[in-house]
Amino acid sequence: MSAPTPEDTVAEQSARPFVSPTDAAAHQASQTVRDERTKRRAALVRAAIYIAGTHFFAFFVMLLFFLGAHKH
């Protein structure tokens, strides 16, 4: 085996895929869209939990009034 020549070293380094600034910007934009979708989904889940919790609390309070009214 012979020692690697400078041309071999350059060829190995250039074997990495080239990412143009346009591709990098497109990737960043797709990440931003994905992050926005994730945030929106998290907000919808949180809203659903809040709505369900509020309805459960209202049901509990109504149950207390119903049971209190029938006691007398």
Side-chain angles (χ1 to χ4, degrees):
M1 281 182 77
S2 62
T5 62
E7 291 83 21
D8 292 337
T9 307
V10 171
E12 288 174 8
Q13 289 175 352
S14 66
R16 288 182 280 163
F18 174 74
V19 178
S20 71
T22 307
D23 291 342
H27 178 71
Q28 181 65 30
S30 70
Q31 282 294 108
T32 303
V33 169
R34 187 177 310 141
D35 290 344
E36 290 298 320
R37 287 182 185 158
T38 303
K39 288 179 184 177
R40 181 172 182 188
R41 183 178 177 99
L44 289 175
V45 169
R46 190 178 311 120
I49 291 170
Y50 289 162
I51 290 169
T54 302
H55 280 84
F56 179 75
F57 179 73
F59 166 76
F60 181 71
V61 170
M62 290 173 63
L63 180 66
L64 289 178
F65 278 110
F66 177 77
L67 293 175
H70 281 85
K71 192 151 193 157
H72 291 287

